Amino acid sequence: MYTQGLLDAKDGPAERPPEPEAQLQRFHERVDAEEKVEPNDWMPEAYRRTLIRQISQHAHSEIVGMLPEGNWITRAPSLRRKAALLAKVQDEGGHGLYLYAAAETLGISREEMVEQLLAGKAKYSSIFNYPTLSWADIGAIGWLVDGAAIMNQIPLCRCSYGPYARAMIRICKEESFHQRQGYEIMLTLAGGTPEQKAMAQDALDRWWWPSLMMFGPSDKDSQHSDKSIRWKIKRFSNDELRQKFVDATVPQGHHLGLVFPDPALRFDGASGHWRFGAIDWNEFRNVVAGNGPCNRQRLQQRRDAQADGAWVRAAAIAYGEKRARRGQ
Amino acid sequence: MMAEQNMPLWEVFIRSRNGLAHKHVGSLHAVDAAMALSAARDVYTRRGEGLSLWVVPSSAITASDPADKAMLFEPTASKIYRHPTFYKVPDDVGNM
């Protein structure tokens, strides 16, 4: 079952003495044959740990990602935009739930993961540590940030771990609305008054490079890639996905009549790829290390939300216990 | 393990259309069945995914052990006489 990893965490397969060599070989044969690994199947401890880290980070990113966009819900320029943004932010909360549930199948509880996030021990996508300064940022996030997320997430639908792959299928179906609503905002602004077009350009200027950083360190510096590719958790390297994103996105930007903030950007006819300039990896490392423009604010908002909701959870639990005592 | 959890786990099943069976779609935490149903409605049916919802306490599900897969399911592979194509019927008899 979907969540049995959590239920069985204490007395489950871990207590059965494994036969490491034979088990490991059978595991790799299954993964190579594109068979899905399910919660109660034997898996190497490192595979389990890698998945817990990746899926929980992914879940945290969905939850923290609600904050920069939530900032504009009350100030959306029309009811149509407001309804769409509300629905999008609600989706992100749902995505967080699907992903926490998928991680729970590996034997970690949601409370533990939330605790890791609030304690500042767990990472989430660096992009959400940038501020949303104008309405155009909501367009840029949908177009670029969700666009980059989709590029990352589509191959995850074929990830070797069943519950993660199934969660990603649901998420990807919902993300395409997010990207399209963002691009529509950009189209409207870019086709509007000179001030509106300038807003769109300003948002692109600020979000372009952080969006490219979303794919993570360059392949030569990535510490987790090799094993993840062997285990079919990852299907493409960071640099491959980044290039795909640039190739897909640059023509969309030109269609908007906007200029990318990269003087080195040029089309390489021989390879058919858009070549881009050097990414400022110092900025990336700095944001990941907790020193981006909004890191402290984001964590504080999550801690406040957790604390503010404590009485609701306590009341629900007390109610549940009372009902259980009375035999429903 | 359940006692450590703040809220019990539930498995969510949706029937997408009339005449189809309920299908497992995911899970969630809730303190009782009514709240599990309400949360399942909010989380799993935002885009017309279904006409009916079931929520089942995860702890109520007994699953087969993956280690027993061979013992449980392989024997059927040799029982080809359970399939209609095992039996020969002359072509001129028509579809059967």
Side-chain angles (χ1 to χ4, degrees), chain B residues 14-22 48-53:
Chain B
I14 296 180
R15 183 168 65 204
S16 55
R17 280 193 286 128
N18 268 333
L20 295 184
H22 284 74
E49 284 90 340
L51 302 170
S52 165
L53 271 173

Side-chain angles (χ1 to χ4, degrees), chain A residues 47-232:
Chain A
Y47 176 82
R48 182 188 300 274
R49 277 201 310 272
T50 297
L51 278 169
I52 288 178
R53 181 180 52 78
Q54 178 170 338
I55 301 172
S56 63
Q57 282 181 13
H58 197 160
H60 298 327
S61 300
E62 301 284 354
I63 299 300
V64 178
M66 297 165 81
L67 297 171
E69 295 186 297
N71 184 33
W72 281 91
I73 290 175
T74 55
R75 292 174 288 162
S78 68
L79 191 55
R80 181 177 190 269
R81 295 287 189 225
K82 187 178 199 164
L85 185 56
L86 259 175
K88 178 177 190 295
V89 172
Q90 190 188 12
D91 275 352
E92 309 296 3
H95 297 175
L97 182 140
Y98 308 153
L99 288 163
Y100 282 130
E104 282 186 322
T105 65
L106 293 157
I108 184 170
S109 72
R110 185 173 68 183
E111 288 77 12
E112 205 176 335
M113 289 183 273
V114 169
E115 179 49 40
Q116 289 172 353
L117 172 69
L118 299 184
K121 283 187 249 167
K123 293 200 172 74
Y124 54 87
S125 182
S126 59
I127 194 85
F128 300 118
N129 291 313
Y130 290 86
T132 41
L133 303 177
S134 86
W135 169 252
D137 290 12
I138 300 305
I141 288 180
W143 171 39
L144 300 174
V145 175
D146 289 292
I150 290 170
M151 215 46 104
N152 255 325
Q153 289 171 350
I154 285 178
L156 288 174
C157 296
R158 293 188 291 128
C159 160
S160 59
Y161 189 57
Y164 193 24
R166 290 191 286 273
M168 290 318 305
I169 290 170
R170 273 190 79 85
I171 290 174
C172 284
K173 274 188 197 159
E174 300 182 351
E175 289 283 357
S176 88
F177 134 61
H178 298 179
Q179 193 187 14
R180 289 170 66 108
Q181 69 91 33
Y183 192 72
E184 195 193 88
I185 292 171
M186 293 301 275
L187 258 179
T188 306
L189 289 171
T193 64
E195 290 84 355
Q196 287 172 323
K197 188 166 183 185
M199 278 172 68
Q201 181 64 55
D202 167 60
L204 174 59
D205 289 347
R206 284 181 292 108
W207 289 94
W208 176 244
W209 289 108
S211 298
L212 295 192
M213 294 174 198
M214 281 177 71
F215 295 92
S218 166
D219 293 350
K220 57 186 194 312
D221 302 318
S222 177
Q223 46 174 330
H224 300 302
S225 272
D226 289 352
K227 269 196 169 161
S228 289
I229 285 181
R230 165 106 207 260
W231 286 330
K232 297 195 193 290

Side-chain angles (χ1 to χ4, degrees), chain B residues 10-13 28-30 32-45 52-56:
Chain B
W10 300 76
E11 302 301 327
V12 181
F13 299 80
L28 50 80
H29 291 270
D32 68 8
M35 279 191 253
L37 205 53
S38 156
R41 178 261 180 198
D42 286 348
V43 177
Y44 289 103
T45 65
S52 165
L53 271 173
W54 287 350
V55 289
V56 180

Side-chain angles (χ1 to χ4, degrees), chain A residues 2-3 10 91 104 174, chain B residues 4 11 24 27 29 46-47:
Chain A
Y2 208 61
T3 41
K10 283 236 168 100
D91 275 352
E104 282 186 322
E174 300 182 351
Chain B
E4 276 179 37
E11 302 301 327
H24 183 244
S27 43
H29 291 270
R46 292 197 300 279
R47 288 181 174 77

